[in-house]
Amino acid sequence: MTTLEKKGNTAIFTLDDPGSAVNTLNEELMDRFRRFLEELRDDPSLRGAVLISGKENNFIAGADIDMFRDKSTAAEFRELSEAGQEIMKEIAEFPKPIIACIHGSCLGGGAELALACHYRIISDHSATRIGFPEVKLGLLPGTGGTQRLPRLIGIQKALSYLLTGKNMYVRQAKRNEFADEVTSRHHMEKAGIEAVQRLATKQPDRKMRLSFLEKLLENNPAGRFILFNQAHKRTAAKTRGNYPAPPQIIESVRYGYKNGLARGLMNESSLFGKLAVTPESKEMVRLFYAMNEAKKNPWKEQARPVRQIAVLGAGLMGSGITQVSAENELPVWLKDRNLDQAAGGEEAIHKDLEKKRSKGAITSFERDTILGRVHPTMNYDGFQNIDLVIEAVFEDLDLKRSIVADVEANTGDHCIFATNTSSLPISEIAAGAKRPENIIGMHYFSPVQKMPLLEIIKTEKTADWVAATACSVGLRQGKHIIVVNDGPGFYTTRILAPYVNEALILLEEGASIEQIDRAMKDAGFPVGPLALLDEVGIDIGAHVAGVVQKLFQARDARTSSKAKELSEEGFKGRKNKKGFYRYDKGKKKEVNPNIYRYFGGPEREKFDPKEIRERILWMMVNEAVHCLEEEILLRPQDGDLGAILGLGFPPFLGGPFRLIDREGASSAADRLYEMQQSFGNRFQPADLLVQHAEAGSRFYNDSLR
């Protein structure tokens, strides 16, 4: 519980929300701050205060997003911002020193609170990180962040955090002087009290650390004009005009520098209110709620303990799965055909951890501790004690079945077998198994260390406790979970297949690689479908196309055989530097002109980018509805989360089902009917979409705020 304690002439204000695992900046906490500041001001015996958290690895995790639920107008959101700014202003101008002692996550409103304090002490622990993630909600920091951060660390450094939402770790925080002092988490309170004594009589000697070029650009109006102009250009190139928040963040910083702090804060509140009611922000806030929901295990009570796991296959996927497990305190036996291959997987983990250490995200001790949980092996010795085996070998049905038999022969009845397949039906892998009820799919996305989604696939025979335990392990690995039913391609691969298929058909019709990939990047996808096919592997794409082909042909849907043809001709994509693009070392990635001989020759026609976008996007959206109709998907929110976190579906659109609700089911169905008339039966709207169109109903019942 949030408490106020006096230690000599210093007030210790401990933040500890008893109803939550983390502290959040909400209206109740702001009211407590007001009362605390009154008491601090009125007590002459107190020289200053220390703000510290009672949570284990959290200072303040950000503003409480639930404050948004009962607000719908720009004016209401502006007033919310102004209320928060008023508290921050009172702290910043308080006559007695207020020290922020930060250990763990200090994000969003928590970071803005720290900025308002007179002195910041951070712990040297790797759990400590500072960030301004509001841009990921389609917003800007609304309680002074766009004004105080640039004035503390410099405009260019501040924009790098404000525009990306990336974390600032201990090393960066000290280097750019966000942190005035770094100490052990166990020494923080004492250091805070000492800082109060110093600052009660003398202001801190703080100088902004800027390079010569930074000073040249930031310390005069002409330089700032160039700086902000370039920031706008880079941001526009990256967001392609799909996200309104980044340019408004730049504008908020620019306005504050031109017109002063007070007017800058007023402008920040106004911009915050306007952004909060944009469709993009609404969808990204909903995504935030869905992501939080996907961090919970709905069958938690049925999950069984998992003390150690085994990963079979030490390649890119296997080593990634091993790493995220070991990072979260799971001992892992990493098995491959021989010790050299298994050790190669361990070395890949070491390299990735070393990159994190070099950035200050972890310490050398933590790196070595994580590696100590990884045990390379070439046999099944000791597997009787393994609770979960995750298989991550090639997409070969016979190989996977043989591994099931080997694992069942070397493990106990309690052991779960999870296959990391991207397309093969789990029930086919489990055919002939002695314990089919113990078999489940755990579909990770590459690179496993960065991709947040885990798609768990259960068959009709999968036991409930097995699904519950798989969810528990996935959550422990730091993943967001969706659970789907078995079928060719499950959900994510199933909707990816028509997305890529339509791009190949467009190529066959004469479109260029540049046109197609540019159109989909302009639509908000992180990469175009042909660049994605190169990254996944054209051979893998051909395999996936073969798995789902019967589904599409049953609907009289045209499917392209070009991925198979290219694969047979030796085009594998990036991995063998032969794909839709060239991957010459040291050169910028360029289109591979040789690919066009498989698509009618080098002469290309000019296609309307809107047609490309509509055809590719709505093939994916319609397939998502088919998956819900066929009960591959259990809920539309799983479909939206899976598309966004697994496949890069544009977050500002909210996902396939949110997009349909926004457009209206009738409008979406009409659009597909029109494309069916022009391009063929693959665009025929799913029956479930037609039902919603006829009933005028939505996939979600919540308000659009």
Side-chain angles (χ1 to χ4, degrees), residues 371-383:
L371 281 170
R373 300 188 186 110
V374 180
H375 310 288
T377 184
M378 59 179 288
N379 54 49
Y380 288 101
D381 291 350
F383 270 50

Side-chain angles (χ1 to χ4, degrees), residues 282-283 286 658 661-662 698 702-705:
K282 290 177 182 179
E283 296 300 354
R286 290 190 183 109
R658 288 287 187 191
D661 279 358
R662 221 166 97 186
R698 295 157 40 91
D702 58 351
S703 71
L704 286 172
R705 187 164 59 78

Side-chain angles (χ1 to χ4, degrees), residues 123 235 250 284 304 396 519 603 607 665:
S123 79
T235 300
I250 298 170
M284 294 167 82
R304 296 184 182 178
D396 182 283
E603 295 299 321
F607 275 66

Side-chain angles (χ1 to χ4, degrees), residues 163-467:
L163 292 173
T164 64
K166 69 180 181 180
N167 289 329
M168 183 192 304
Y169 294 102
V170 176
R171 189 174 301 169
Q172 294 101 329
K174 180 61 177 173
R175 186 186 303 132
N176 63 36
E177 295 202 333
F178 177 93
D180 294 293
E181 190 176 335
V182 178
T183 189
S184 162
R185 61 183 296 191
H186 306 294
H187 184 69
M188 294 191 76
E189 184 180 299
K190 183 175 183 293
I193 293 171
E194 291 172 353
V196 165
Q197 309 311 311
R198 292 195 308 273
L199 270 64
T201 57
K202 183 182 179 182
Q203 290 296 311
D205 183 19
R206 185 182 290 125
K207 292 182 180 179
M208 191 184 296
R209 290 184 181 177
L210 297 179
S211 68
F212 174 76
L213 182 59
E214 286 171 333
K215 289 177 181 177
L216 190 65
L217 289 172
E218 298 188 21
N219 289 345
N220 66 88
R224 289 195 292 271
F225 176 84
I226 296 170
L227 190 160
F228 289 123
N229 189 44
Q230 289 301 312
H232 273 298
K233 286 181 179 179
R234 287 193 299 270
T235 300
K238 187 172 183 179
T239 65
R240 297 175 182 254
N242 290 314
Y243 296 89
Q248 297 293 5
I249 288 171
I250 298 170
E251 176 58 22
S252 184
V253 175
R254 186 202 66 79
Y255 187 93
Y257 262 79
K258 182 179 180 181
N259 297 284
L261 179 61
R263 293 180 67 183
L265 289 169
M266 290 173 60
N267 184 60
E268 180 186 83
S269 290
S270 177
L271 293 176
F272 181 87
K274 291 174 182 177
L275 286 171
V277 295
T278 60
E280 293 84 359
S281 178
K282 290 177 182 179
E283 296 300 354
M284 294 167 82
V285 169
R286 290 190 183 109
L287 175 62
F288 174 83
Y289 281 118
M291 289 174 67
N292 280 349
E293 186 66 26
K295 291 180 180 178
K296 301 173 184 175
N297 188 348
W299 308 294
K300 184 178 179 180
E301 295 76 15
Q302 299 182 61
R304 296 184 182 178
V306 172
R307 298 175 182 85
Q308 53 185 333
I309 71 172
V311 175
L312 309 185
L316 182 67
M317 294 299 293
S319 61
I321 296 166
T322 300
Q323 181 174 330
V324 298
S325 303
E327 285 177 329
N328 290 282
E329 301 183 357
L330 270 170
V332 187
W333 295 89
L334 179 57
K335 181 186 178 302
D336 214 310
R337 288 175 293 184
N338 58 60
L339 274 179
D340 285 344
Q341 288 175 310
E346 183 183 33
E347 178 59 26
I349 295 169
H350 179 272
K351 286 181 180 178
D352 195 74
L353 292 174
E354 181 58 22
K355 287 181 183 178
K356 290 187 175 184
R357 187 208 61 77
S358 67
K359 294 177 182 177
I362 59 174
T363 64
S364 298
F365 175 77
E366 288 168 322
R367 176 201 62 198
D368 295 341
T369 300
I370 293 166
L371 281 170
R373 300 188 186 110
V374 180
H375 310 288
T377 184
M378 59 179 288
N379 54 49
Y380 288 101
D381 291 350
F383 270 50
Q384 284 294 327
N385 299 318
I386 296 294
D387 301 304
L388 168 68
V389 172
I390 302 175
E391 165 269 303
V393 302
F394 302 116
E395 292 284 274
D396 182 283
L397 182 59
D398 291 335
L399 175 62
K400 289 178 183 288
R401 284 176 174 171
S402 70
I403 291 174
V404 169
D406 289 343
V407 169
E408 288 188 327
N410 288 280
T411 58
D413 292 344
H414 70 289
C415 184
I416 297 170
F417 182 92
T419 175
N420 174 52
T421 176
S422 60
S423 59
L424 294 172
I426 311 303
S427 56
E428 292 186 16
I429 295 172
K434 294 178 181 178
R435 302 189 291 268
E437 68 278 4
N438 284 22
I439 296 179
I440 197 164
M442 293 179 75
H443 177 205
Y444 295 84
F445 296 77
S446 183
V448 181
Q449 299 93 325
K450 294 181 179 179
M451 294 295 282
L453 185 71
L454 172 61
E455 182 180 23
I456 290 179
I457 309 104
K458 56 190 183 70
T459 72
E460 292 181 351
K461 295 182 179 179
T462 302
D464 290 344
W465 71 267
V466 171

Side-chain angles (χ1 to χ4, degrees), residues 482-484 491-492 495 624 627-628 633-645 647 649 654-658 700:
I482 64 169
V483 179
V484 302
Y491 172 65
T492 52
I495 67 170
C627 289
L628 185 63
L633 276 177
L634 307 180
R635 309 178 304 169
Q637 51 264 52
D638 291 332
D640 286 340
L641 201 65
I644 292 170
L645 298 186
L647 304 177
F649 193 95
F657 297 98
R658 288 287 187 191
Y700 289 91

Side-chain angles (χ1 to χ4, degrees), residues 91-111:
I91 292 171
E93 297 177 356
F94 203 77
K96 299 177 182 180
I98 298 177
I99 315 300
C101 288
I102 302 165
H103 168 71
S105 53
C106 176
L107 307 173

